Amino acid sequence: MDVVMGYMDTYVFDSVYNQAAALTSTTPLPRDSLLRQSLSLFVFIYAYIVAFYFGTAGLSYRYIYDKKQESHPKFLPRQKLLEMACASRALPTITLMTVPWILAELHGYSLVYKEWTKYGYVYLGVSAVMFILFTDFCIYWVHRLQHHPLVYAKCHKLHHKWIVCTPYASHAFHPVDGYLQSLPYHLAVFIFPMHEYVYLALFAFVNVWSVMIHDGEYMASNAVVNGAAHHTVHHLYFNYNYGQFTTLFDRLFNTYRKPSQEIYDRSRRNSKTVQAAQAQDIDTALPTLETSKKTQ
């Protein structure tokens, strides 16, 4: 992130702080000021995630998303706008809670490194795999624990308002929910080394992936990859497929549910009969799920 902030300071923030100082007759905040770094990080991260969210989700909605899903009985009136509004409310708070992690990285407390050959070229790929597996394991448990009765209604239930999702549901959650599920991405580089560019690339990837698993387009039936079909099962039936990238930990801890063939077949999944049956299953199961989450 120091590379990114170096460019931002040179081309944006130096000018902004100099102009602010001139307007207030004060001394410009230096680059190493903790206050300046915190403010700059908040502005940059917030602008990045808003642009990335609306850009990626917007492109996915326009070119990939199966809009016939909006006729599903469980698709809410004005749902796309509700998802965008929910995400817009959550992102400032998530950004604020994220800033200390990036500050710690900028000040050298993480294991992010710059030299390509420091651990060898093979390790670049190995570290990427480690990142995916580590974050997948952590998010599995964060996600699963958020379904616990003590916290579900207070935090994660909001995201399950979107039973039939659009790509805009990817970031439409309670801010604490979003922050907790993002924590493993920050924690990873404090546990094992990663090259700064590999880390930045993976950070972009996880945001794209979050949109992809909510895009309603099931391009491949893969038993290991936790794609949109598997995540759709989670939104439809709640207590299955908690993983983010793979199905490995759902299989290991007995929470895996294989998507039915009708989910992969566009004509079948858009069938009124199939959608009505799904809605009936949800209406039957939901009161029991909600009651158990309140009383357990």
Side-chain angles (χ1 to χ4, degrees), residues 102-128:
I102 310 302
L103 272 176
E105 180 195 327
L106 288 178
H107 285 265
Y109 292 103
S110 76
L111 298 175
V112 172
Y113 64 94
K114 295 178 178 294
E115 301 82 8
W116 289 102
T117 58
K118 183 172 183 178
Y119 296 98
Y121 289 110
V122 172
Y123 182 75
L124 297 174
V126 170
S127 66

Side-chain angles (χ1 to χ4, degrees), residues 197-217:
Y197 286 117
V198 174
Y199 185 44
L200 287 172
L202 285 167
F203 229 95
F205 164 75
V206 300
N207 280 286
V208 173
W209 186 261
S210 184
V211 172
M212 289 176 62
I213 62 175
H214 292 89
D215 68 12
E217 188 57 55

Side-chain angles (χ1 to χ4, degrees), residues 77-87 89 162 166 168:
R78 301 171 57 249
Q79 180 174 312
K80 184 177 71 169
L81 293 176
L82 293 173
E83 290 169 343
M84 288 190 282
C86 181
R89 290 191 297 269
W162 330 115
T166 80
Y168 293 104

